[in-house]
Amino acid sequence: MNNSYKQNQIFRSLKSLSGPFPPFDVHLLPERPGELFLGWFEMAIEKGVKEPHAMTLSTVDADGCPDARVLILKNVVDDMFFFASSSESRKGEQLQRNPQAALTFYWPILGRQIRLRGTVEDMGEKAGAADFRQRSVEARAVALTGNQSRELVREEELEHSIAVQRERINHDPEMIAPNWGLYAMNVREAEFWQGDTQRKHTRVQYYLHDGQWKHRRLWP
């Protein structure tokens, strides 16, 4: 038995979508995707989903290649989904070049996935500053090092830089990272996916038509 076969057997033995899962009544859908998201989000909190606000942000680079990372949802207002980042980070630079992006949520214990597509915009200097000041001291200190996504050669450099920034914050608690931004995705398409143990998944897609939200069922 070769290693490739053993590896395949390991993957095959792992369980997925074992349930039980909550029902998804497609006859009681709100008009807007933001409303449905918040309803699902509240259930995720009630059911003990760990970090339900963790989401995957997907962007594209200058060569058109996709890039993805997990970050934290900050707020939802109507159909705008908010998150924060340095404008000098890889995702910040990619969004400045191409604001088209996608967000993905997955909550395994509920068997639920949410996929969002839309255009991202920077909410401006004041909004970015307000978000930055709400972050923990450690998070602010790391952001103030200003080296996100750059090569780290020695651990000592990281620790020293964070210590220096932490001291700066102690002397000036209101200071902000000059390139910190609060971003909002304006959703133009959303899919709500409820997994099924027999793979007869329930999928509902919201889409804009002439400026109005419509929704439809999709095949599993």
Side-chain angles (χ1 to χ4, degrees):
M1 188 180 293
N2 59 40
N3 289 334
S4 177
Y5 178 80
K6 289 181 180 179
Q7 193 75 13
N8 179 265
Q9 291 301 102
I10 290 173
F11 280 100
R12 290 288 184 177
S13 68
L14 297 174
K15 302 298 181 183
S16 63
L17 296 173
S18 55
F21 298 132
F24 179 20
D25 190 344
V26 297
H27 302 293
L28 296 174
L29 295 172
E31 292 184 4
R32 307 177 68 96
E35 295 178 62
L36 183 53
F37 174 87
L38 290 175
W40 277 27
F41 188 73
E42 289 176 5
M43 177 179 284
I45 294 173
E46 292 171 1
K47 297 298 183 181
V49 173
K50 291 185 177 180
E51 300 187 0
H53 55 335
M55 61 186 185
T56 299
L57 168 68
S58 300
T59 54
V60 292
D61 65 16
D63 297 319
C65 295
D67 202 356
R69 75 289 290 160
V70 177
L71 67 166
I72 297 299
L73 176 68
K74 293 299 186 78
N75 198 6
V76 178
V77 178
D78 295 328
D79 303 305
M80 298 175 69
F81 286 66
F82 293 81
F83 60 91
S85 174
S86 167
S87 62
E88 294 185 343
S89 67
R90 183 177 295 177
K91 56 184 172 294
E93 292 175 348
Q94 290 171 355
L95 287 170
Q96 185 174 10
R97 187 179 299 111
N98 183 347
Q100 305 301 315
L103 298 175
T104 308
F105 296 82
Y106 181 54
W107 303 321
I109 66 172
L110 298 179
R112 287 183 167 180
Q113 178 181 203
I114 302 168
R115 301 169 56 209
L116 308 171
R117 301 174 70 195
T119 304
V120 175
E121 62 177 306
D122 188 331
M123 301 308 291
E125 187 176 321
K126 289 184 178 180
D131 177 85
F132 189 80
R133 293 190 181 102
Q134 293 179 53
R135 295 168 64 84
S136 68
V137 172
E138 289 302 311
R140 280 181 280 162
V142 172
L144 283 165
T145 63
N147 290 316
Q148 187 176 3
S149 299
R150 297 177 184 173
E151 181 181 5
L152 176 63
V153 179
R154 297 191 306 275
E155 185 72 20
E156 294 78 10
E157 291 182 84
L158 173 63
E159 297 301 329
H160 174 71
S161 181
I162 291 175
V164 169
Q165 301 307 327
R166 191 186 298 116
E167 187 64 23
R168 290 180 65 199
I169 294 171
N170 288 337
H171 283 89
D172 182 8
E174 294 300 306
M175 73 178 305
I176 62 169
N179 298 303
W180 192 257
L182 181 68
Y183 296 86
M185 172 185 278
N186 295 283
V187 175
R188 69 170 187 273
E189 181 184 307
E191 182 186 322
F192 294 83
W193 183 95
Q194 175 61 71
D196 179 78
T197 57
Q198 302 302 314
R199 275 41 179 185
K200 197 178 75 173
H201 313 308
T202 302
R203 300 172 60 189
V204 171
Q205 182 190 58
Y206 281 81
Y207 61 98
L208 285 170
H209 178 73
D210 293 334
Q212 299 295 318
W213 282 110
K214 305 290 184 180
H215 55 72
R216 58 191 173 192
R217 284 283 303 274
L218 300 177
W219 278 70

